[in-house]
């Protein structure tokens, strides 16, 4: 993640926010259109809600911690979008309906409140939290890859600029890491209990 963060920072610095967006936007294919149009939904809030519920089979601690993370992210992202940076335009508003911008058929890009990307924040927080609970490094990498794809899809679909995606990922990682480690300090026998019926969802997690 650190390497990707550094690389993205360099790209934005060299190409500029607009330039990097247009560079991504110009490379497309029908297959990529279909994939990103569907994979971007992995950043929807319903994914976070589903994970909150699934974590009840791991422990109440994990479910409550991720619920707290999701609510905090929702507040932070909403405040940044609507109160602190309300005038940062989405690509469609910024470029207008010119030939410079390519719109994927079947997707209507939002027009307002661009910074930061909520879909990216959700994808990175969910992926990172799950990675804390599993041991398989290949699954961990896959989770990061999925989060990266969701972020990339937001640029590909002309929903966000690179800066929005970059900020969404950083905010999610910071809040998720901090909340996870602070939650370990809570000592309570009840909080480490879990829903007992059904099968375990995450292999390799503690009881």
């Amino acid at each position: 993640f650190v390497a990707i963060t550094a690389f993205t920072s360099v790209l934005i610095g060299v190409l500029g926010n607009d330039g990097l967006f247009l560079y991504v936007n110009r490379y497309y294919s029908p297959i990529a259109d279909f994939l990103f149009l569907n994979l971007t939904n992995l950043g929807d809030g319903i994914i976070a809600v589903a994970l909150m519920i699934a974590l009840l089979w791991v422990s109440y601690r994990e479910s409550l911690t991720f619920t707290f993370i999701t609510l905090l992210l929702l507040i932070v992202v909403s405040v940044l979008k609507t109160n602190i940076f309300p005038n940062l335009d989405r690509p469609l508003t910024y470029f207008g309906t010119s030939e410079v911008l390519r719109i994927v058929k079947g997707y209507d890009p939002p027009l307002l409140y661009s910074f930061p990307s909520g879909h990216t924040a959700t994808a990175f927080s969910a992926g990172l939290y799950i990675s804390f609970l599993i041991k398989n490094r290949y699954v961990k990498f896959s989770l990061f890859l999925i989060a990266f794809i969701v972020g990339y899809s937001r640029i590909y679909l002309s929903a966000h600029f690179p800066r929005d995606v970059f900020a969404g990922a950083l905010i999610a990682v910071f809040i998720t890491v901090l909340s996870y480690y602070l939650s370990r300090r809570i000592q309570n026998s009840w909080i480490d209990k879990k829903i007992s019926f059904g099968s375990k969802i995450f292999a390799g997690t503690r009881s």
Side-chain angles (χ1 to χ4, degrees):
F1 178 77
V2 174
I4 294 295
T5 299
F7 181 67
T8 305
S9 300
V10 171
L11 284 179
I12 294 177
V14 172
L15 299 176
N17 187 51
D18 301 358
L20 182 55
F21 169 80
L22 291 174
Y23 182 83
V24 172
N25 189 250
R26 78 174 66 159
Y27 291 100
Y28 58 88
S29 71
I31 294 177
D33 287 356
F34 174 80
L35 289 176
F36 290 126
L37 191 59
N38 288 279
L39 291 175
T40 197
N41 294 323
L42 293 175
D44 287 346
I46 190 64
I47 300 299
V49 173
L51 182 56
M52 292 177 206
I53 296 172
L55 287 172
L56 289 170
W57 276 264
V58 179
S59 75
Y60 299 139
R61 180 193 299 273
E62 308 304 354
S63 182
L64 290 172
T65 301
F66 186 71
T67 299
F68 172 80
I69 290 169
T70 300
L71 292 176
L72 184 57
L73 270 179
L74 178 63
I75 293 171
V76 171
V77 169
S78 296
V79 169
L80 288 173
K81 280 178 180 285
T82 60
N83 295 95
I84 300 179
F85 302 106
N87 297 320
L88 289 182
D89 293 329
R90 299 262 189 167
L92 185 57
T93 305
Y94 183 84
F95 290 108
T97 55
S98 65
E99 294 182 0
V100 174
L101 187 68
R102 176 181 178 270
I103 304 299
V104 175
K105 185 177 180 180
Y107 182 78
D108 295 321
L111 300 176
L112 303 173
Y113 306 128
S114 184
F115 183 90
S117 169
H119 277 71
T120 304
T122 298
F124 270 89
S125 67
L128 181 58
Y129 202 87
I130 296 173
S131 74
F132 286 147
L133 305 179
I134 59 178
K135 297 178 180 179
N136 191 304
R137 60 182 180 179
Y138 298 109
V139 176
K140 290 175 182 286
F141 176 77
S142 297
L143 291 168
F144 170 77
L145 184 61
I146 290 171
F148 178 84
I149 289 173
V150 171
Y152 186 88
S153 74
R154 304 311 290 165
I155 304 172
Y156 185 94
L157 295 172
S158 300
H160 283 286
F161 283 104
R163 69 171 178 225
D164 309 330
V165 170
F166 186 58
L170 286 180
I171 292 169
V173 169
F174 176 77
I175 289 178
T176 303
V177 171
L178 182 62
S179 300
Y180 177 82
Y181 284 104
L182 287 178
S183 73
R184 305 306 102 175
R185 302 175 68 87
I186 300 174
Q187 301 299 320
N188 186 294
S189 59
W190 172 85
I191 204 169
D192 287 320
K193 293 181 180 180
K194 61 183 179 180
I195 292 179
S196 58
F197 65 88
S199 58
K200 183 179 289 187
I201 296 175
F202 296 100
T205 61
R206 59 181 179 78
S207 298

